[in-house]
Amino acid sequence: MTREILFAGFGGQGILFCGKVMSYLGLVSGLEVSWLPSYGPEMRGGTANCHVIVSNDAVGSPIINNPTDLIVMNLPSFDKFENTVSPGGNIIIDSSLISKKTSRNDVNAHYIPATQMANEMGVPKLANMIMLGKLISVLAAVSLDQVKEALEKSVPPSKKELIEVNLKAIQAGYNFNSDI
Amino acid sequence: MDKVLMKGNEAIAEAAIRANCRHFFGYPITPQTEISAYMAKRMSKVGGTFLQAESEVAAINMVYGAAGAGVRVMTSSSSPGISLKMEGLSYIAGADLPCVIVNIVRAGPGLGGIQPAQSDYFQAVKGGGHGDYRMIVIAPSSIQETVDCTIDAFDLADKYRMPVMLMGDGMLGQMMEPVSFPEVKTDHLPKKDWATTGTKMKRKANIINSLYIHPEELEEVILKREEKYNTIYETEVKYHTEGLENADVVLVAYGTTARIAKAAIALAKQNGIKAGLIRPITLWPFPTDIIAKTAPNVKCMISVEMSTGQMVEDIRLAVNGVCPVHFYGRTGGAVPTPTAIFEQIRRYA
Amino acid sequence: MMETIFERPKALADVPFHYCPGCTHGIVHRLIAEVIDELGIEGDTIGVAPVGCAVFAYNYFNCDMQEAAHGRAPAVATGIKRANPENIIFTYQGDGDLAAIGTAETVHAATRSENITIIFLNNAIYGMTGGQMAPTSLVGQVTQTTPYGRKVEMQGYPIRMSEMLATLEGSSFIKRCSVDSIKNINDTRASIKKAFQCQIDKKGFSMVEVLSTCPTNWGLSPAESMDWLRDNMMPYYPLGVYKDVTGGDR
């Protein structure tokens, strides 16, 4: 099993953190992982993305050219990466920010209004965790305990109080049925 | 110990601290700045010194002073900054001082770009600074190996009284992988009785110096150092191989590129082509022997690099015409894809 | 019984110096060694030698020494001091080393208030390479690289380092002295001692600039050189204290 997961959106949406939690989730599940961010001037307010690979085997190239899973939180990233997704892969789309539908019929598209849901929950900064929750439900590979453990490892000790609310956001995304 | 996810840059900094490095002098430059930032945060907590110097030139000379004073010391930079450090590096080599220099390589020449590259190979292994000198150059290819190599780098520097460069690239510096930190022991290393710590009026003065005005005297010093370099060439070569048995095509690649090469080798296997990998871990001393031994048994070798072809020259020297040595590379910050490398394997298989 | 009334300072090595006849490096070396003796700090002192005429200074003192690359002595001294803060560190630098190729290292050591002492010999010329223009060469001064005299429109103005460094918050004691007379030599010794004392008292960066001669490259006799120093250098580089945070006389 190897999942090549590309997280993409605007800087400030918590894209890199989202990838970090996913990486820890792989780690606590006993898998090999790598996390590679975009860096440099790209980070300054523009698009941000990170490449997370979770695998049974040692990770070779940490660069993802054809993701098995794309988590996308803005239109420019959707336009840029939609066609790179491997056939049979998943695209998880924040439908509050991206009104387009995918034109691909060889991938599984999951539309979730994560930003709107986060606003309604009063946690506008946690749309990323809602997206992650959806990804976890799509991959259907881990337990809630493991998610909690991954969060605990991802969040610095000074921000421990944020774990619960992050977990809630992940659950909201996990429980959201986007395929109706 | 529990594994944690760490960026390569941060892992280098933490490993250095675990290796009892308590002095760091640096200057900000992308994509290695996290090393400085991490050191700034941690050094004061462990009673060490982090100093942001006024320039790369000053930083490497602070390293010279501190190394001469007998402490474990490190600096880090990325390509353009390393060029500036080359003067100091030559003096450090000439004064036989132990220190660790990290180069998180980005694309050049000039300001180049900030994306990963391996185009500082020549500078690192062939000189860079002036004069007859060598530097041990270590090129890890995963974050865990980066940790282990950082610790080794300090030991090698102290053991041989010479500068050791840890060479990564922007990708290795920025990516995260799980790491654990081994226990570090330094009691097997020689005492630094040559350091300038003050005579306390109990011994003759120690002098840290690279100037020898009489040619015969300087020649003697250089030749003695050369013997040391020969010992290192005989004993400290490190590499990793994969699938060399029955391989028709052998890729030679280091660092990040070696990881991508592995993915290409897996593709070759799926397509019924037998390909293997030689991954140099020490770039100097270069794993000449294993390359020479492998050459008669293969159709060809391919050097895969993020440059226009630098390490390939050392591979050709090692192979000495026994088999063809091809080159495939991307440069300017572009990274080869597994598919593109696989195409090369298929072409030459 | 014979009484010893003059001897080599203990911190000064018993070796022949390579300096030219009439050169003032020897005087300043001796003054530093006397101060090290007086303060009883030889066993804790580390000197940093420059590139320039004083490049062999590492052989002329009995304390531990490091030889720095051209202009980098303040950075090397910083490394040594940060490694072992209880050591007393001095650099010995000429005008090309300190005020041209090493200006950045000098200025930043001062502004960091790096707790080191710099002895700066200003003789307005590059000695070792055979008499080229220094950053401190005077306007009109003939050197190998200003054969028609230093021209402001070509080479700009000579730099006054003591005045400049005194403007920095980080400097603690900055004084310009001269070794052209017995009186001034004694004053230089006292100033070097004060600079070292500042470091011992952890007051931060101290520097003594010493106006010096270069008879060989000035093309003058040693005695004429002293006159030239007084007539030409002193008006442009006035002696005196430029910074003193210890509250001493200004």
Side-chain angles (χ1 to χ4, degrees), chain C residues 20 52-53 95 123-132 134 214 216-217:
Chain C
C20 303
C53 282
D95 40 47
N123 61 7
I125 203 148
Y126 279 69
M128 190 175 71
T129 46
Q132 296 79 27
C214 182
T216 301
N217 289 300

Side-chain angles (χ1 to χ4, degrees), chain B residues 117-272:
Chain B
Q118 296 180 319
S119 42
D120 295 357
Y121 178 91
F122 282 156
Q123 184 192 51
V125 307
K126 307 288 181 193
H130 59 282
D132 272 324
Y133 80 95
R134 293 289 185 178
M135 173 169 63
I136 296 175
V137 183
I138 312 179
S141 131
S142 70
I143 310 303
Q144 183 61 55
E145 194 172 56
T146 302
V147 166
D148 301 339
C149 287
T150 302
I151 294 163
D152 284 350
F154 280 101
D155 284 0
L156 288 167
D158 283 348
K159 184 174 173 188
Y160 294 107
R161 274 187 73 177
M162 65 188 286
V164 177
M165 177 176 278
L166 188 77
M167 197 153 92
D169 59 60
M171 195 181 318
L172 207 60
Q174 295 295 325
M175 72 183 281
M176 285 203 290
E177 280 185 317
V179 289
S180 60
F181 292 89
E183 196 72 24
V184 175
K185 289 205 180 81
T186 54
D187 45 10
H188 59 291
L189 293 164
K191 274 176 76 176
K192 296 183 176 181
D193 50 10
W194 43 265
T196 59
T197 50
T199 64
K200 310 295 172 206
M201 309 306 273
K202 285 180 182 155
R203 58 159 170 77
K204 270 185 66 187
N206 284 336
I207 298 172
I208 301 297
N209 174 44
S210 63
L211 177 65
Y212 299 87
I213 212 74
H214 303 294
E216 294 76 16
E217 200 189 346
L218 179 55
E219 185 182 44
E220 195 185 318
V221 169
I222 292 172
L223 291 179
K224 201 171 156 225
R225 203 175 284 131
E226 192 63 20
E227 283 175 28
K228 173 171 84 181
Y229 294 154
N230 289 337
T231 307
I232 293 168
Y233 221 114
E234 283 160 21
T235 56
E236 304 292 353
V237 172
K238 263 186 153 177
Y239 60 86
H240 174 86
T241 64
E242 238 174 81
L244 291 190
E245 321 73 38
N246 312 317
D248 288 321
V249 176
V250 166
L251 302 182
V252 186
Y254 68 93
T256 290
T257 311
R259 304 173 62 118
I260 303 167
K262 272 192 208 174
I265 289 168
L267 284 176
K269 197 176 170 190
Q270 287 167 23
N271 286 273

Side-chain angles (χ1 to χ4, degrees), chain C residues 16 42 49-50 52-54 57 65 71 78 100 108 137 160 188:
Chain C
E42 185 188 319
C53 282
M65 296 290 293
T78 298
H108 284 274
S137 291
R160 294 186 181 101
T188 302

Side-chain angles (χ1 to χ4, degrees), chain C residues 90-189:
Chain C
F90 76 92
T91 75
Y92 187 98
Q93 301 177 259
D95 40 47
D97 194 85
L98 177 134
I101 198 167
T103 314
E105 285 79 359
T106 307
V107 169
H108 284 274
T111 201
R112 278 197 308 270
S113 203
E114 207 61 58
N115 195 24
I116 59 171
T117 300
I118 290 182
I119 310 301
F120 165 37
L121 264 79
N122 178 2
N123 61 7
I125 203 148
Y126 279 69
M128 190 175 71
T129 46
Q132 296 79 27
M133 184 189 73
T136 53
S137 291
L138 297 172
V139 173
Q141 190 178 335
V142 172
T143 72
Q144 203 182 67
T145 49
T146 52
Y148 310 108
R150 179 172 185 160
K151 290 190 176 65
V152 166
E153 56 272 26
M154 278 295 286
Q155 291 93 10
Y157 296 92
I159 189 167
R160 294 186 181 101
M161 289 303 288
S162 287
E163 287 85 335
M164 189 170 115
L165 296 177
T167 66
L168 301 173
E169 287 297 316
S171 56
S172 70
F173 177 69
I174 308 276
K175 186 170 176 183
R176 183 180 292 123
C177 303
S178 169
V179 284
D180 66 305
S181 67
I182 304 296
K183 174 176 162 287
N184 281 340
I185 289 173
N186 283 331
D187 182 57
T188 302
R189 184 202 293 111

